[in-house]
Protein backbone atom coordinates (compact mmCIF):
# COMPACT_ATOMS: atom_id res chain seq x y z
CA UNK A 1 0.00 0.00 0.00
CA UNK A 2 3.04 2.31 0.34
CA UNK A 3 5.53 1.42 -2.43
CA UNK A 4 8.87 3.27 -2.69
CA UNK A 5 9.14 6.14 -5.15
CA UNK A 6 10.45 5.34 -8.62
CA UNK A 7 11.10 8.66 -10.36
CA UNK A 8 12.91 6.93 -13.24
CA UNK A 9 9.69 5.40 -14.54
CA UNK A 10 8.16 7.07 -17.57
CA UNK A 11 5.94 6.45 -20.56
CA UNK A 12 4.16 3.13 -20.92
CA UNK A 13 6.03 1.55 -18.00
CA UNK A 14 4.87 4.26 -15.62
CA UNK A 15 1.29 3.91 -16.87
CA UNK A 16 1.33 0.15 -16.28
CA UNK A 17 2.83 0.44 -12.80
CA UNK A 18 0.47 3.23 -11.74
CA UNK A 19 -2.53 1.40 -13.16
CA UNK A 20 -1.46 -1.76 -11.31
CA UNK A 21 -1.18 0.03 -7.96
CA UNK A 22 -4.40 1.90 -8.61
CA UNK A 23 -6.14 -1.46 -9.05
CA UNK A 24 -4.54 -2.88 -5.90
CA UNK A 25 -5.58 0.09 -3.78
CA UNK A 26 -9.08 0.05 -5.24
CA UNK A 27 -9.40 -3.65 -4.39
CA UNK A 28 -8.08 -2.98 -0.89
CA UNK A 29 -10.55 -0.11 -0.46
CA UNK A 30 -13.37 -2.43 -1.54
CA UNK A 31 -12.36 -5.14 0.93
CA UNK A 32 -15.50 -5.01 3.05
CA UNK A 33 -17.79 -4.31 0.10
CA UNK A 34 -16.18 -7.08 -1.96
CA UNK A 35 -16.41 -9.72 0.76
CA UNK A 36 -19.96 -8.71 1.68
CA UNK A 37 -21.33 -8.73 -1.85
CA UNK A 38 -19.45 -11.95 -2.64
CA UNK A 39 -21.30 -13.50 0.29
CA UNK A 40 -24.59 -12.14 -1.08
CA UNK A 41 -23.95 -13.68 -4.49
CA UNK A 42 -22.65 -17.02 -3.19
CA UNK A 43 -25.02 -17.60 -0.26
CA UNK A 44 -27.50 -20.39 -1.10
CA UNK A 45 -31.15 -19.35 -1.21
CA UNK A 46 -31.98 -21.85 1.53
CA UNK A 47 -29.27 -20.45 3.81
CA UNK A 48 -26.28 -22.18 5.36
CA UNK A 49 -26.07 -24.85 8.10
CA UNK A 50 -29.75 -24.39 8.85
CA UNK A 51 -29.37 -20.61 9.22
CA UNK A 52 -31.70 -18.57 6.98
CA UNK A 53 -29.92 -16.64 4.23
CA UNK A 54 -30.52 -13.14 5.61
CA UNK A 55 -29.37 -14.19 9.10
CA UNK A 56 -26.25 -15.85 7.71
CA UNK A 57 -25.42 -12.67 5.78
CA UNK A 58 -25.78 -10.62 8.97
CA UNK A 59 -23.44 -12.95 10.88
CA UNK A 60 -20.93 -12.85 8.03
CA UNK A 61 -20.98 -9.04 7.85
CA UNK A 62 -20.46 -8.77 11.62
CA UNK A 63 -17.59 -11.25 11.47
CA UNK A 64 -15.86 -9.35 8.65
CA UNK A 65 -16.33 -6.05 10.47
CA UNK A 66 -14.86 -7.52 13.67
CA UNK A 67 -11.91 -8.99 11.77
CA UNK A 68 -11.12 -5.68 10.03
CA UNK A 69 -11.05 -3.79 13.34
CA UNK A 70 -9.17 -6.56 15.14
CA UNK A 71 -6.42 -6.61 12.50
CA UNK A 72 -6.14 -2.82 12.28
CA UNK A 73 -7.44 -2.62 8.72
CA UNK A 74 -10.17 -0.41 10.09
CA UNK A 75 -9.98 1.88 13.13
CA UNK A 76 -12.61 2.26 15.82
CA UNK A 77 -13.29 5.82 14.63
CA UNK A 78 -13.89 4.50 11.13
CA UNK A 79 -16.18 1.81 12.53
CA UNK A 80 -18.22 4.52 14.27
CA UNK A 81 -18.54 6.41 10.98
CA UNK A 82 -19.60 3.25 9.14
CA UNK A 83 -22.18 2.56 11.86
CA UNK A 84 -23.77 5.92 11.02
CA UNK A 85 -24.23 4.74 7.41
CA UNK A 86 -25.75 1.51 8.68
CA UNK A 87 -28.35 3.38 10.72
CA UNK A 88 -29.13 5.86 7.93
CA UNK A 89 -29.44 3.09 5.37
CA UNK A 90 -31.59 0.87 7.57
CA UNK A 91 -33.99 3.72 8.29
CA UNK A 92 -34.36 4.27 4.55
CA UNK A 93 -34.94 0.54 4.00
CA UNK A 94 -37.70 0.44 6.63
CA UNK A 95 -39.48 3.32 4.95
CA UNK A 96 -39.09 2.03 1.39
CA UNK A 97 -40.39 -1.45 2.26
CA UNK A 98 -43.29 -0.26 4.44
CA UNK A 99 -46.83 -1.23 3.50
CA UNK A 100 -47.79 2.15 2.09
CA UNK A 101 -44.65 2.50 -0.07
CA UNK A 102 -43.38 -0.97 -1.06
CA UNK A 103 -40.65 0.28 -3.38
CA UNK A 104 -39.01 -3.13 -2.95
CA UNK A 105 -39.28 -6.12 -0.64
CA UNK A 106 -37.26 -8.82 1.13
CA UNK A 107 -39.25 -11.98 0.44
CA UNK A 108 -37.30 -14.55 2.47
CA UNK A 109 -37.79 -15.46 6.12
CA UNK A 110 -35.24 -14.28 8.71
CA UNK A 111 -35.06 -14.17 12.49
CA UNK A 112 -33.16 -10.89 12.26
CA UNK A 113 -35.89 -8.94 10.49
CA UNK A 114 -36.97 -5.70 12.14
CA UNK A 115 -40.03 -3.90 10.74
CA UNK A 116 -39.90 -6.38 7.88
CA UNK A 117 -36.31 -5.49 6.94
CA UNK A 118 -33.36 -7.84 7.60
CA UNK A 119 -30.66 -6.18 9.67
CA UNK A 120 -27.97 -7.12 7.16
CA UNK A 121 -29.40 -4.58 4.69
CA UNK A 122 -27.82 -1.65 6.53
CA UNK A 123 -24.41 -3.10 5.71
CA UNK A 124 -25.03 -2.44 2.00
CA UNK A 125 -24.95 1.28 2.77
CA UNK A 126 -22.11 0.82 5.25
CA UNK A 127 -20.12 -0.85 2.45
CA UNK A 128 -20.26 2.36 0.42
CA UNK A 129 -19.06 4.36 3.42
CA UNK A 130 -16.31 1.83 4.10
CA UNK A 131 -15.06 2.13 0.52
CA UNK A 132 -14.86 5.94 0.65
CA UNK A 133 -13.15 5.91 4.07
CA UNK A 134 -10.54 3.34 3.02
CA UNK A 135 -9.91 4.99 -0.37
CA UNK A 136 -9.43 8.35 1.32
CA UNK A 137 -6.63 6.96 3.44
CA UNK A 138 -4.96 4.63 0.93
CA UNK A 139 -4.91 7.14 -1.94
CA UNK A 140 -3.92 10.07 0.35
CA UNK A 141 -6.88 12.00 -0.98
CA UNK A 142 -6.96 15.78 -0.98
CA UNK A 143 -9.92 17.81 -2.13
CA UNK A 144 -9.44 21.11 -3.95
CA UNK A 145 -12.12 23.82 -4.30
CA UNK A 146 -14.60 22.09 -2.03
CA UNK A 147 -17.86 24.04 -1.63
CA UNK A 148 -18.60 25.76 1.66
CA UNK A 149 -19.42 23.17 4.31
CA UNK A 150 -22.86 24.49 5.11
CA UNK A 151 -23.79 24.27 1.43
CA UNK A 152 -22.44 20.72 1.08
CA UNK A 153 -24.23 19.65 4.27
CA UNK A 154 -27.50 21.24 3.17
CA UNK A 155 -27.52 19.49 -0.21
CA UNK A 156 -26.64 16.17 1.47
CA UNK A 157 -29.56 16.52 3.91
CA UNK A 158 -31.96 17.47 1.10
CA UNK A 159 -30.83 14.45 -0.96
CA UNK A 160 -31.59 12.13 1.94
CA UNK A 161 -34.93 13.79 2.70
CA UNK A 162 -35.96 13.53 -0.97
CA UNK A 163 -35.65 9.74 -0.80
CA UNK A 164 -38.61 9.91 1.61
CA UNK A 165 -40.63 12.91 0.45
CA UNK A 166 -40.72 12.14 -3.28
CA UNK A 167 -43.51 9.67 -2.52
CA UNK A 168 -45.68 12.53 -1.32
CA UNK A 169 -44.63 15.87 -2.83
CA UNK A 170 -42.78 14.95 -6.01
CA UNK A 171 -39.30 13.79 -6.93
CA UNK A 172 -36.82 16.67 -6.92
CA UNK A 173 -33.83 14.41 -7.66
CA UNK A 174 -32.87 16.21 -10.85
CA UNK A 175 -33.06 19.63 -9.22
CA UNK A 176 -30.86 18.39 -6.39
CA UNK A 177 -28.52 16.82 -8.94
CA UNK A 178 -28.27 20.16 -10.74
CA UNK A 179 -27.46 21.89 -7.43
CA UNK A 180 -24.79 19.28 -6.67
CA UNK A 181 -23.40 19.76 -10.19
CA UNK A 182 -23.07 23.48 -9.57
CA UNK A 183 -21.60 23.06 -6.08
CA UNK A 184 -18.95 20.56 -7.11
CA UNK A 185 -18.25 21.82 -10.64
CA UNK A 186 -14.84 23.19 -9.64
CA UNK A 187 -14.04 20.48 -7.10
CA UNK A 188 -11.07 18.26 -7.85
CA UNK A 189 -9.92 15.15 -6.03
CA UNK A 190 -6.13 14.68 -5.82
CA UNK A 191 -5.09 11.07 -5.28
CA UNK A 192 -1.83 9.13 -5.31
CA UNK A 193 -2.00 5.67 -6.91
CA UNK A 194 1.80 5.25 -6.83
CA UNK A 195 4.38 7.99 -6.23
CA UNK A 196 2.83 10.99 -8.00
CA UNK A 197 -0.36 12.92 -7.42
CA UNK A 198 -3.09 12.59 -10.03
CA UNK A 199 -6.27 14.64 -10.38
CA UNK A 200 -9.84 13.92 -11.34
CA UNK A 201 -13.07 15.96 -11.15
CA UNK A 202 -14.94 14.86 -8.03
CA UNK A 203 -18.18 14.71 -10.00
CA UNK A 204 -16.68 11.98 -12.20
CA UNK A 205 -15.85 9.98 -9.06
CA UNK A 206 -19.44 10.33 -7.84
CA UNK A 207 -20.81 9.06 -11.15
CA UNK A 208 -18.37 6.14 -11.39
CA UNK A 209 -19.06 4.92 -7.86
CA UNK A 210 -22.80 5.26 -8.43
CA UNK A 211 -22.52 3.22 -11.63
CA UNK A 212 -20.73 0.32 -9.96
CA UNK A 213 -23.28 0.31 -7.12
CA UNK A 214 -26.02 0.13 -9.76
CA UNK A 215 -24.27 -2.89 -11.31
CA UNK A 216 -24.06 -4.56 -7.88
CA UNK A 217 -27.76 -3.86 -7.37
CA UNK A 218 -28.58 -5.62 -10.64
CA UNK A 219 -26.64 -8.68 -9.55
CA UNK A 220 -28.26 -8.64 -6.09
CA UNK A 221 -31.78 -8.51 -7.48
CA UNK A 222 -30.90 -11.24 -10.00
CA UNK A 223 -30.03 -13.52 -7.05
CA UNK A 224 -33.27 -12.53 -5.33
CA UNK A 225 -31.75 -10.79 -2.30
CA UNK A 226 -34.47 -8.17 -2.72
CA UNK A 227 -36.93 -7.44 -5.49
CA UNK A 228 -38.58 -4.44 -7.05
CA UNK A 229 -42.27 -4.77 -7.89
CA UNK A 230 -41.52 -5.23 -11.60
CA UNK A 231 -39.21 -8.15 -10.76
CA UNK A 232 -41.71 -10.28 -8.84
CA UNK A 233 -42.75 -12.43 -11.81
CA UNK A 234 -39.42 -12.46 -13.64
CA UNK A 235 -36.14 -10.64 -13.20
CA UNK A 236 -35.46 -7.53 -15.28
CA UNK A 237 -32.67 -4.98 -15.27
CA UNK A 238 -32.88 -2.32 -12.56
CA UNK A 239 -33.98 0.92 -14.20
CA UNK A 240 -31.06 3.09 -15.32
CA UNK A 241 -32.60 5.95 -13.35
CA UNK A 242 -31.41 4.22 -10.16
CA UNK A 243 -27.88 5.15 -11.22
CA UNK A 244 -28.67 8.79 -10.55
CA UNK A 245 -30.16 7.90 -7.15
CA UNK A 246 -27.02 6.00 -6.17
CA UNK A 247 -24.77 8.81 -7.42
CA UNK A 248 -26.67 11.25 -5.20
CA UNK A 249 -26.35 8.82 -2.30
CA UNK A 250 -22.58 8.83 -2.88
CA UNK A 251 -22.61 12.65 -2.67
CA UNK A 252 -24.36 12.35 0.70
CA UNK A 253 -21.95 9.63 1.87
CA UNK A 254 -18.93 11.67 0.84
CA UNK A 255 -20.19 14.66 2.84
CA UNK A 256 -20.68 12.52 5.96
CA UNK A 257 -17.19 11.02 5.65
CA UNK A 258 -15.66 14.47 5.31
CA UNK A 259 -17.47 15.60 8.45
CA UNK A 260 -16.99 12.53 10.66
CA UNK A 261 -13.33 11.94 9.83
CA UNK A 262 -12.48 15.59 10.49
CA UNK A 263 -10.50 15.88 7.28
CA UNK A 264 -10.91 19.60 6.80
CA UNK A 265 -7.13 20.30 6.88
CA UNK A 266 -6.87 18.19 3.71
CA UNK A 267 -9.75 19.94 1.98
CA UNK A 268 -9.39 23.28 0.28
CA UNK A 269 -12.60 25.29 0.61
CA UNK A 270 -13.34 27.35 -2.47
CA UNK A 271 -13.42 31.12 -1.76
Amino acid sequence: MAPPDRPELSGVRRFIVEFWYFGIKEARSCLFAGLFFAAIFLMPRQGLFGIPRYDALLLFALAVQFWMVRTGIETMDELKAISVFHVIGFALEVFKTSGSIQSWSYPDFAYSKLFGVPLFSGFMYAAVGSYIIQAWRLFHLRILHHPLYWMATLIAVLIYVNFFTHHYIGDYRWYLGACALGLYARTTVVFRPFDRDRKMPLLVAFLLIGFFIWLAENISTFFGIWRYPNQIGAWSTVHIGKWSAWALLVVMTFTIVAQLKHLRPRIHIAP
Side-chain angles (χ1 to χ4, degrees):
M1 294 299 102
D5 293 353
R6 296 185 60 184
E8 76 281 2
L9 285 177
S10 61
V12 175
R13 290 186 62 194
R14 169 161 288 279
F15 172 80
I16 293 173
V17 171
E18 289 205 17
F19 188 77
W20 170 253
Y21 276 100
F22 177 82
I24 290 176
K25 289 186 177 183
E26 280 288 321
R28 170 65 173 73
S29 300
C30 292
L31 182 60
F32 178 79
L35 291 174
F36 181 63
F37 281 100
I40 286 178
F41 305 148
L42 298 175
M43 185 70 65
R45 180 70 182 268
Q46 66 273 17
L48 204 61
F49 307 119
I51 303 173
R53 175 167 60 164
Y54 294 161
D55 298 326
L57 288 171
L58 174 63
L59 293 174
F60 179 81
L62 290 171
V64 172
Q65 201 77 81
F66 175 80
W67 168 73
M68 290 180 68
V69 174
R70 188 74 175 82
T71 56
I73 295 174
E74 197 170 79
T75 68
M76 284 301 298
D77 285 340
E78 290 171 345
L79 177 61
K80 294 174 185 176
I82 290 170
S83 298
V84 172
F85 297 116
H86 191 290
V87 173
I88 290 174
F90 186 78
L92 183 61
E93 290 284 321
V94 170
F95 175 79
K96 290 289 190 178
T97 57
S98 61
S100 60
I101 304 300
Q102 294 185 334
S103 294
W104 57 80
S105 62
Y106 291 91
D108 295 351
F109 168 80
Y111 295 105
S112 58
K113 274 188 174 181
L114 187 61
F115 303 112
V117 178
L119 291 177
F120 89 89
S121 63
F123 282 102
M124 294 186 287
Y125 299 85
V128 180
S130 176
Y131 164 76
I132 294 178
I133 288 171
Q134 295 290 331
W136 205 311
R137 173 154 41 88
L138 294 173
F139 284 99
H140 306 285
L141 295 191
R142 290 182 292 115
I143 308 298
L144 304 179
H145 303 296
H146 190 278
L148 296 175
Y149 267 90
W150 73 266
M151 292 183 178
T153 302
L154 177 61
I155 197 67
V157 170
L158 291 176
I159 287 170
Y160 185 66
V161 170
N162 185 70
F163 286 128
F164 296 86
T165 58
H166 82 84
H167 293 282
Y168 306 107
I169 61 173
D171 189 357
Y172 295 98
R173 179 191 317 174
W174 300 110
Y175 297 99
L176 294 171
C179 290
L181 183 66
L183 278 179
Y184 291 98
R186 297 177 55 207
T187 307
T188 302
V189 56
V190 181
F191 60 100
R192 179 169 293 189
F194 185 50
D195 60 350
R196 293 181 184 177
D197 287 343
R198 302 298 179 187
K199 295 181 179 180
M200 179 174 62
L202 186 59
L203 287 171
V204 173
F206 290 155
L207 290 173
L208 287 175
I209 297 171
F211 176 73
F212 284 107
I213 297 173
W214 177 76
L215 287 180
E217 185 179 32
N218 273 281
I219 300 173
S220 298
T221 54
F222 178 80
F223 283 94
I225 302 300
W226 69 88
R227 291 193 181 100
Y228 290 101
N230 66 315
Q231 296 173 324
I232 299 298
W235 180 83
S236 60
T237 305
V238 176
H239 193 275
I240 192 67
K242 291 290 182 180
W243 179 6
S244 63
W246 282 115
L248 287 174
L249 186 74
V250 172
V251 174
M252 185 190 78
T253 304
F254 170 84
T255 304
I256 296 174
V257 171
Q259 294 284 3
L260 293 182
K261 285 179 67 67
H262 305 292
L263 293 171
R264 295 189 184 194
R266 303 185 69 181
I267 298 177
H268 172 254
I269 306 298

